[in-house]
Amino acid sequence: MRAVVVGASSGLGRCIGVGLGQRGAQVALLARRRERLAAAAAEAGAGALAIECDVTGTASITSAIAKAAADLGGIDALVYTPAIGPLARLADTAAILHLAATAGTAAFLSSVSASRTPPWPGLGAYIVSKAALDKMVEAWRVEHPTVGFTRCTVGDCMGGEGDSMSAFPSASEWDWDLAGELHPVWQARGLLAGCFIDVEDLVNAVDGLLRSGQSLATPSITLAPRPQGP
């Protein structure tokens, strides 16, 4: 499997990119931070590619996808993990051409906060971006039915270590006074799961989804943490 992972320098994107490589996939890891990408590629295994890419710039992502397709010899799977910033249209990046050629799969990480829970106070911008992504996936599924576009809705999950840790829910740019004020509100409204998905279980689920075969239609999957017993 030849897979492109966008947003692979940190957090769940890094965990998925590295995990797919360690499970035998040929991976191209795309993100802005070259040094972190190089470290992730080294961890992913021999042949993993580190390609600089800024998803907010059409020229950048077009060039990155073209390089990934050329170096991998095609694209069978795409995983899109960024949680913030404008969304790049696949038609403009030419990724759709490579996925259509292989009848491949494109998985977009969404959040339970966009579709399965009431809005979280203070996280409106994040939730709106994920809700927009959900609709984008639905639109692409209609326009390109031969590509396996899938929304992967993820519950509370932490991935990575140090500077490569998931940006949410521990984003360094957060106003921590506001976070301290809102945390009891989230808790009182039952928005916090109280436990986390093991990141290896998340990677296994995404890997299985991408390898599920062309005959299987999986428009949406939800991965939620299982409460642990006493």
Side-chain angles (χ1 to χ4, degrees), residues 5-26:
V5 181
V6 184
S9 63
S10 65
L12 299 184
R14 187 185 193 281
C15 292
I16 291 171
V18 169
L20 293 177
Q22 292 177 344
R23 287 162 175 76
Q26 295 175 266

Side-chain angles (χ1 to χ4, degrees), residues 3-4 10 23 32 43 45-46 62-63 70 95 104 111 130 137 142 156 162 172 185 188 195 210 216 226:
V4 174
S10 65
R23 287 162 175 76
R32 291 180 293 110
E43 190 175 343
T62 298
S63 174
S111 168
K130 285 302 187 183
V137 173
V142 170
D156 293 355
S172 60
V185 177
C195 53
L210 298 178
L216 181 63
R226 177 189 296 177

Side-chain angles (χ1 to χ4, degrees), residues 193-207:
C195 53
F196 291 91
I197 299 169
D198 186 297
V199 72
E200 285 298 305
D201 291 337
L202 171 66
V203 176
N204 285 333
V206 173
D207 182 64

Side-chain angles (χ1 to χ4, degrees), residues 9-91:
S9 63
S10 65
L12 299 184
R14 187 185 193 281
C15 292
I16 291 171
V18 169
L20 293 177
Q22 292 177 344
R23 287 162 175 76
Q26 295 175 266
V27 293
L29 309 181
L30 277 57
R32 291 180 293 110
R33 295 170 290 193
R34 176 71 187 183
E35 290 184 1
R36 294 187 183 182
L37 274 180
E43 190 175 343
L49 306 175
I51 302 175
E52 289 184 74
C53 172
D54 183 351
V55 296
T56 66
T58 300
S60 176
I61 199 167
T62 298
S63 174
I65 290 292
K67 178 172 176 53
D71 291 351
L72 293 175
I75 298 174
D76 302 304
L78 171 74
V79 183
Y80 186 90
T81 71
I84 58 174
L87 300 175
R89 290 172 53 108
L90 287 180

